[in-house]
Amino acid sequence: MIPFLDLNAINAQYRDELVAAATRVIESGWYIQGTEVKAFEEEFADYCGSKHCIGVANGLDALTLTLRAWKEMGKLKEGDEVIVPANTYIASILAISENRLKPVLVEPEEATFNLCPEKTAAAITSNTKAIVAVHLYGQISPMPELMQLADQHGLLVLEDAAQAHGASIDSRKAGSWGHAAGFSFYPGKNLGALGDAGAVTTDDEELAKTIRALGNYGSHKKYENLYRGVNSRLDEIQAAMLRVKLRHLDEEIESRREVAEYYLTHIETPNIQLPEVGNRESHVWHLFVVRSAKREELQKYLAEQGVQTLIHYPVPPHQQKAYPNWGSMHYPLTESIHQTVLSLPMGPTLSTEGCNQVTEACNDW
């Protein structure tokens, strides 16, 4: 069986480095907000091209705390509208509604699945105060156009970069385009921890300080609390793991691109719609997502041929029971995407032989 993602193989490459990093933390006697977190924050901010990085517990908290911080700073208020792609993973929307802001769902570009600047512009009202630009599947959104649009209307831009570590436009990486960006380091991400972890990047010093306080019980100074905060801090062990894996991220991205290029070159059946990509640097291939009108048949056949696939995502947010008031909404393109997408095996350790088995199975079907 060709696994969808072989985390054992990925982490085995760095086993000695990971064990040494974990041992370093264990022997330090300091397990919360220590030197590993501080070092990773500096290294990841430098990697993204941002001034500040704030480690948090997970990717959802990265988004939620950023929006919460803007509320505390007076830049957002309850009921403000926030534009977000209708076809995103639900976490992008949960962060908005958790802050009692109003998600405004917008259909994506059909080619890239990311926000369409023209459709985004059409959705802006006098109540719109922010845009959440989701870099879906590893391809960065059209950030120059979205930032120009935001500047014209005085909007905040939050990048949901949970799937796009290292993706860039004109050598400017995800995490350095918007006013802030939220990252997830869930184990299956391109830069994955060995547990839950996340971070926010920003050039705004006040925002960075506010997020850091909110994630530390609302405390900017020990036993003094400016806000009614939460406990959302990047763990020392996970920071140490991430420091190891960050050093290898660009190499892994290159391996992912080679897998994607193999698929794009060798999958030739008209029954499978391949993803479109503007240029090589814009996509880091967290997922390789194809579309088929007969997805279930394709998935079943591939499984029979020893190829594991997943669906990202089977149910669009507006049809989730978590948002019952949206049940009557209709987003045709989003619904079509969710009904037809299928993710093929993707990872930096996938061999040429494995790629060949996947492509032959696709073409035979």
Side-chain angles (χ1 to χ4, degrees), residues 270-273 290-299 336-342 365:
N271 299 314
I272 296 175
Q273 181 180 333
V290 300
R291 294 180 67 184
S292 173
K294 298 180 178 180
R295 177 180 65 193
E296 282 67 29
E297 294 179 25
L298 172 60
Q299 186 174 40
S336 174
I337 289 171
H338 285 259
Q339 291 163 4
T340 58
V341 290
L342 185 68
W365 180 77

PDB file of all heavy atoms in Angstrom, residues 270-273 290-299 336-342 365:
ATOM      1  N   PRO A 270      -8.228  11.838 -19.110  1.00  0.00           N
ATOM      2  CA  PRO A 270      -9.155  12.988 -19.097  1.00  0.00           C
ATOM      3  C   PRO A 270     -10.206  12.877 -17.996  1.00  0.00           C
ATOM      4  O   PRO A 270     -10.930  13.840 -17.744  1.00  0.00           O
ATOM      5  CB  PRO A 270      -9.797  12.924 -20.491  1.00  0.00           C
ATOM      6  CG  PRO A 270      -9.705  11.486 -20.884  1.00  0.00           C
ATOM      7  CD  PRO A 270      -8.411  10.994 -20.303  1.00  0.00           C
ATOM      8  N   ASN A 271     -10.275  11.714 -17.337  1.00  0.00           N
ATOM      9  CA  ASN A 271     -11.269  11.518 -16.275  1.00  0.00           C
ATOM     10  C   ASN A 271     -10.833  12.110 -14.941  1.00  0.00           C
ATOM     11  O   ASN A 271     -11.600  12.104 -13.978  1.00  0.00           O
ATOM     12  CB  ASN A 271     -11.536  10.018 -16.096  1.00  0.00           C
ATOM     13  CG  ASN A 271     -12.090   9.377 -17.348  1.00  0.00           C
ATOM     14  OD1 ASN A 271     -13.000   9.916 -17.969  1.00  0.00           O
ATOM     15  ND2 ASN A 271     -11.528   8.248 -17.740  1.00  0.00           N
ATOM     16  N   ILE A 272      -9.614  12.600 -14.883  1.00  0.00           N
ATOM     17  CA  ILE A 272      -9.095  13.202 -13.661  1.00  0.00           C
ATOM     18  C   ILE A 272      -8.611  14.607 -13.982  1.00  0.00           C
ATOM     19  O   ILE A 272      -7.775  14.807 -14.872  1.00  0.00           O
ATOM     20  CB  ILE A 272      -7.939  12.363 -13.072  1.00  0.00           C
ATOM     21  CG1 ILE A 272      -8.452  10.981 -12.641  1.00  0.00           C
ATOM     22  CG2 ILE A 272      -7.291  13.073 -11.894  1.00  0.00           C
ATOM     23  CD1 ILE A 272      -7.370  10.041 -12.159  1.00  0.00           C
ATOM     24  N   GLN A 273      -9.130  15.581 -13.248  1.00  0.00           N
ATOM     25  CA  GLN A 273      -8.731  16.977 -13.440  1.00  0.00           C
ATOM     26  C   GLN A 273      -7.578  17.297 -12.500  1.00  0.00           C
ATOM     27  O   GLN A 273      -7.706  17.207 -11.280  1.00  0.00           O
ATOM     28  CB  GLN A 273      -9.907  17.914 -13.164  1.00  0.00           C
ATOM     29  CG  GLN A 273      -9.581  19.395 -13.356  1.00  0.00           C
ATOM     30  CD  GLN A 273     -10.783  20.284 -13.070  1.00  0.00           C
ATOM     31  OE1 GLN A 273     -11.927  19.867 -13.202  1.00  0.00           O
ATOM     32  NE2 GLN A 273     -10.518  21.520 -12.660  1.00  0.00           N
ATOM     33  N   VAL A 290      -6.760  16.334  -6.797  1.00  0.00           N
ATOM     34  CA  VAL A 290      -7.359  16.214  -8.129  1.00  0.00           C
ATOM     35  C   VAL A 290      -8.879  16.283  -7.978  1.00  0.00           C
ATOM     36  O   VAL A 290      -9.412  16.233  -6.873  1.00  0.00           O
ATOM     37  CB  VAL A 290      -6.945  14.902  -8.814  1.00  0.00           C
ATOM     38  CG1 VAL A 290      -5.427  14.847  -8.976  1.00  0.00           C
ATOM     39  CG2 VAL A 290      -7.456  13.686  -8.040  1.00  0.00           C
ATOM     40  N   ARG A 291      -9.540  16.375  -9.106  1.00  0.00           N
ATOM     41  CA  ARG A 291     -11.010  16.367  -9.084  1.00  0.00           C
ATOM     42  C   ARG A 291     -11.534  15.319 -10.070  1.00  0.00           C
ATOM     43  O   ARG A 291     -10.944  15.106 -11.133  1.00  0.00           O
ATOM     44  CB  ARG A 291     -11.571  17.747  -9.452  1.00  0.00           C
ATOM     45  CG  ARG A 291     -11.258  18.833  -8.447  1.00  0.00           C
ATOM     46  CD  ARG A 291     -11.844  20.176  -8.862  1.00  0.00           C
ATOM     47  NE  ARG A 291     -13.308  20.155  -8.828  1.00  0.00           N
ATOM     48  CZ  ARG A 291     -14.072  21.175  -9.215  1.00  0.00           C
ATOM     49  NH1 ARG A 291     -13.511  22.283  -9.687  1.00  0.00           N
ATOM     50  NH2 ARG A 291     -15.384  21.089  -9.142  1.00  0.00           N
ATOM     51  N   SER A 292     -12.643  14.696  -9.681  1.00  0.00           N
ATOM     52  CA  SER A 292     -13.299  13.731 -10.565  1.00  0.00           C
ATOM     53  C   SER A 292     -14.787  13.716 -10.267  1.00  0.00           C
ATOM     54  O   SER A 292     -15.189  13.702  -9.099  1.00  0.00           O
ATOM     55  CB  SER A 292     -12.727  12.326 -10.370  1.00  0.00           C
ATOM     56  OG  SER A 292     -13.481  11.385 -11.113  1.00  0.00           O
ATOM     57  N   ALA A 293     -15.583  13.692 -11.317  1.00  0.00           N
ATOM     58  CA  ALA A 293     -17.037  13.610 -11.150  1.00  0.00           C
ATOM     59  C   ALA A 293     -17.439  12.249 -10.572  1.00  0.00           C
ATOM     60  O   ALA A 293     -18.533  12.104 -10.019  1.00  0.00           O
ATOM     61  CB  ALA A 293     -17.734  13.834 -12.488  1.00  0.00           C
ATOM     62  N   LYS A 294     -16.532  11.272 -10.676  1.00  0.00           N
ATOM     63  CA  LYS A 294     -16.788   9.936 -10.133  1.00  0.00           C
ATOM     64  C   LYS A 294     -15.775   9.640  -9.026  1.00  0.00           C
ATOM     65  O   LYS A 294     -15.094   8.620  -9.027  1.00  0.00           O
ATOM     66  CB  LYS A 294     -16.706   8.888 -11.244  1.00  0.00           C
ATOM     67  CG  LYS A 294     -17.751   9.085 -12.335  1.00  0.00           C
ATOM     68  CD  LYS A 294     -17.640   8.015 -13.412  1.00  0.00           C
ATOM     69  CE  LYS A 294     -18.715   8.188 -14.486  1.00  0.00           C
ATOM     70  NZ  LYS A 294     -18.615   7.148 -15.543  1.00  0.00           N
ATOM     71  N   ARG A 295     -15.696  10.561  -8.075  1.00  0.00           N
ATOM     72  CA  ARG A 295     -14.678  10.470  -7.029  1.00  0.00           C
ATOM     73  C   ARG A 295     -14.720   9.162  -6.247  1.00  0.00           C
ATOM     74  O   ARG A 295     -13.676   8.539  -6.023  1.00  0.00           O
ATOM     75  CB  ARG A 295     -14.822  11.639  -6.045  1.00  0.00           C
ATOM     76  CG  ARG A 295     -13.827  11.570  -4.893  1.00  0.00           C
ATOM     77  CD  ARG A 295     -13.997  12.725  -3.941  1.00  0.00           C
ATOM     78  NE  ARG A 295     -15.285  12.696  -3.257  1.00  0.00           N
ATOM     79  CZ  ARG A 295     -15.777  13.728  -2.569  1.00  0.00           C
ATOM     80  NH1 ARG A 295     -15.103  14.870  -2.519  1.00  0.00           N
ATOM     81  NH2 ARG A 295     -16.948  13.636  -1.956  1.00  0.00           N
ATOM     82  N   GLU A 296     -15.903   8.749  -5.813  1.00  0.00           N
ATOM     83  CA  GLU A 296     -16.001   7.553  -4.984  1.00  0.00           C
ATOM     84  C   GLU A 296     -15.513   6.326  -5.757  1.00  0.00           C
ATOM     85  O   GLU A 296     -14.825   5.462  -5.194  1.00  0.00           O
ATOM     86  CB  GLU A 296     -17.438   7.353  -4.491  1.00  0.00           C
ATOM     87  CG  GLU A 296     -17.833   8.254  -3.325  1.00  0.00           C
ATOM     88  CD  GLU A 296     -17.902   9.732  -3.694  1.00  0.00           C
ATOM     89  OE1 GLU A 296     -18.186  10.040  -4.880  1.00  0.00           O
ATOM     90  OE2 GLU A 296     -17.639  10.582  -2.814  1.00  0.00           O
ATOM     91  N   GLU A 297     -15.850   6.265  -7.037  1.00  0.00           N
ATOM     92  CA  GLU A 297     -15.378   5.147  -7.856  1.00  0.00           C
ATOM     93  C   GLU A 297     -13.858   5.189  -7.988  1.00  0.00           C
ATOM     94  O   GLU A 297     -13.180   4.152  -7.901  1.00  0.00           O
ATOM     95  CB  GLU A 297     -16.020   5.197  -9.241  1.00  0.00           C
ATOM     96  CG  GLU A 297     -17.526   4.961  -9.240  1.00  0.00           C
ATOM     97  CD  GLU A 297     -18.113   5.050 -10.642  1.00  0.00           C
ATOM     98  OE1 GLU A 297     -17.348   4.823 -11.611  1.00  0.00           O
ATOM     99  OE2 GLU A 297     -19.308   5.354 -10.765  1.00  0.00           O
ATOM    100  N   LEU A 298     -13.328   6.378  -8.207  1.00  0.00           N
ATOM    101  CA  LEU A 298     -11.877   6.537  -8.338  1.00  0.00           C
ATOM    102  C   LEU A 298     -11.175   6.155  -7.040  1.00  0.00           C
ATOM    103  O   LEU A 298     -10.183   5.404  -7.058  1.00  0.00           O
ATOM    104  CB  LEU A 298     -11.541   7.988  -8.714  1.00  0.00           C
ATOM    105  CG  LEU A 298     -10.060   8.371  -8.703  1.00  0.00           C
ATOM    106  CD1 LEU A 298      -9.269   7.509  -9.685  1.00  0.00           C
ATOM    107  CD2 LEU A 298      -9.893   9.855  -9.034  1.00  0.00           C
ATOM    108  N   GLN A 299     -11.683   6.643  -5.918  1.00  0.00           N
ATOM    109  CA  GLN A 299     -11.058   6.332  -4.639  1.00  0.00           C
ATOM    110  C   GLN A 299     -11.077   4.832  -4.354  1.00  0.00           C
ATOM    111  O   GLN A 299     -10.088   4.257  -3.888  1.00  0.00           O
ATOM    112  CB  GLN A 299     -11.742   7.101  -3.503  1.00  0.00           C
ATOM    113  CG  GLN A 299     -11.050   6.924  -2.162  1.00  0.00           C
ATOM    114  CD  GLN A 299     -11.647   7.808  -1.078  1.00  0.00           C
ATOM    115  OE1 GLN A 299     -12.867   7.976  -1.004  1.00  0.00           O
ATOM    116  NE2 GLN A 299     -10.797   8.375  -0.235  1.00  0.00           N
ATOM    117  N   SER A 336     -19.445  21.986  -5.492  1.00  0.00           N
ATOM    118  CA  SER A 336     -18.870  21.132  -6.522  1.00  0.00           C
ATOM    119  C   SER A 336     -17.465  20.686  -6.139  1.00  0.00           C
ATOM    120  O   SER A 336     -17.090  19.519  -6.325  1.00  0.00           O
ATOM    121  CB  SER A 336     -18.838  21.873  -7.859  1.00  0.00           C
ATOM    122  OG  SER A 336     -18.158  21.123  -8.838  1.00  0.00           O
ATOM    123  N   ILE A 337     -16.689  21.608  -5.601  1.00  0.00           N
ATOM    124  CA  ILE A 337     -15.326  21.273  -5.167  1.00  0.00           C
ATOM    125  C   ILE A 337     -15.352  20.184  -4.106  1.00  0.00           C
ATOM    126  O   ILE A 337     -14.657  19.169  -4.197  1.00  0.00           O
ATOM    127  CB  ILE A 337     -14.594  22.534  -4.644  1.00  0.00           C
ATOM    128  CG1 ILE A 337     -14.261  23.481  -5.808  1.00  0.00           C
ATOM    129  CG2 ILE A 337     -13.331  22.152  -3.874  1.00  0.00           C
ATOM    130  CD1 ILE A 337     -13.739  24.832  -5.377  1.00  0.00           C
ATOM    131  N   HIS A 338     -16.183  20.363  -3.096  1.00  0.00           N
ATOM    132  CA  HIS A 338     -16.230  19.409  -1.994  1.00  0.00           C
ATOM    133  C   HIS A 338     -16.771  18.044  -2.436  1.00  0.00           C
ATOM    134  O   HIS A 338     -16.463  17.033  -1.804  1.00  0.00           O
ATOM    135  CB  HIS A 338     -17.064  19.979  -0.848  1.00  0.00           C
ATOM    136  CG  HIS A 338     -16.351  21.039  -0.060  1.00  0.00           C
ATOM    137  ND1 HIS A 338     -15.764  20.792   1.163  1.00  0.00           N
ATOM    138  CD2 HIS A 338     -16.112  22.351  -0.324  1.00  0.00           C
ATOM    139  CE1 HIS A 338     -15.204  21.902   1.607  1.00  0.00           C
ATOM    140  NE2 HIS A 338     -15.402  22.866   0.730  1.00  0.00           N
ATOM    141  N   GLN A 339     -17.538  18.024  -3.501  1.00  0.00           N
ATOM    142  CA  GLN A 339     -18.104  16.768  -3.994  1.00  0.00           C
ATOM    143  C   GLN A 339     -17.169  16.015  -4.942  1.00  0.00           C
ATOM    144  O   GLN A 339     -17.392  14.838  -5.231  1.00  0.00           O
ATOM    145  CB  GLN A 339     -19.431  17.044  -4.716  1.00  0.00           C
ATOM    146  CG  GLN A 339     -20.549  17.484  -3.795  1.00  0.00           C
ATOM    147  CD  GLN A 339     -21.705  18.131  -4.549  1.00  0.00           C
ATOM    148  OE1 GLN A 339     -21.703  18.193  -5.781  1.00  0.00           O
ATOM    149  NE2 GLN A 339     -22.699  18.628  -3.824  1.00  0.00           N
ATOM    150  N   THR A 340     -16.100  16.673  -5.410  1.00  0.00           N
ATOM    151  CA  THR A 340     -15.273  16.066  -6.459  1.00  0.00           C
ATOM    152  C   THR A 340     -13.793  15.936  -6.114  1.00  0.00           C
ATOM    153  O   THR A 340     -13.059  15.265  -6.843  1.00  0.00           O
ATOM    154  CB  THR A 340     -15.397  16.874  -7.766  1.00  0.00           C
ATOM    155  OG1 THR A 340     -15.001  18.232  -7.526  1.00  0.00           O
ATOM    156  CG2 THR A 340     -16.825  16.848  -8.290  1.00  0.00           C
ATOM    157  N   VAL A 341     -13.323  16.565  -5.038  1.00  0.00           N
ATOM    158  CA  VAL A 341     -11.883  16.562  -4.765  1.00  0.00           C
ATOM    159  C   VAL A 341     -11.417  15.249  -4.144  1.00  0.00           C
ATOM    160  O   VAL A 341     -12.149  14.606  -3.377  1.00  0.00           O
ATOM    161  CB  VAL A 341     -11.478  17.733  -3.849  1.00  0.00           C
ATOM    162  CG1 VAL A 341     -11.590  19.061  -4.574  1.00  0.00           C
ATOM    163  CG2 VAL A 341     -12.285  17.742  -2.554  1.00  0.00           C
ATOM    164  N   LEU A 342     -10.193  14.881  -4.487  1.00  0.00           N
ATOM    165  CA  LEU A 342      -9.555  13.700  -3.912  1.00  0.00           C
ATOM    166  C   LEU A 342      -8.057  13.975  -3.814  1.00  0.00           C
ATOM    167  O   LEU A 342      -7.430  14.413  -4.780  1.00  0.00           O
ATOM    168  CB  LEU A 342      -9.802  12.470  -4.798  1.00  0.00           C
ATOM    169  CG  LEU A 342      -9.292  11.141  -4.235  1.00  0.00           C
ATOM    170  CD1 LEU A 342     -10.101  10.729  -3.001  1.00  0.00           C
ATOM    171  CD2 LEU A 342      -9.363  10.050  -5.294  1.00  0.00           C
ATOM    172  N   TRP A 365      -7.419   3.592 -14.412  1.00  0.00           N
ATOM    173  CA  TRP A 365      -8.819   3.851 -14.113  1.00  0.00           C
ATOM    174  C   TRP A 365      -9.460   4.661 -15.222  1.00  0.00           C
ATOM    175  O   TRP A 365     -10.564   4.412 -15.645  1.00  0.00           O
ATOM    176  CB  TRP A 365      -8.946   4.596 -12.781  1.00  0.00           C
ATOM    177  CG  TRP A 365     -10.355   4.887 -12.408  1.00  0.00           C
ATOM    178  CD1 TRP A 365     -11.285   4.024 -11.896  1.00  0.00           C
ATOM    179  CD2 TRP A 365     -11.036   6.157 -12.504  1.00  0.00           C
ATOM    180  NE1 TRP A 365     -12.468   4.668 -11.678  1.00  0.00           N
ATOM    181  CE2 TRP A 365     -12.348   5.991 -12.051  1.00  0.00           C
ATOM    182  CE3 TRP A 365     -10.648   7.431 -12.952  1.00  0.00           C
ATOM    183  CZ2 TRP A 365     -13.285   7.021 -12.010  1.00  0.00           C
ATOM    184  CZ3 TRP A 365     -11.560   8.462 -12.907  1.00  0.00           C
ATOM    185  CH2 TRP A 365     -12.864   8.258 -12.455  1.00  0.00           C
TER     186      TRP A 365
END
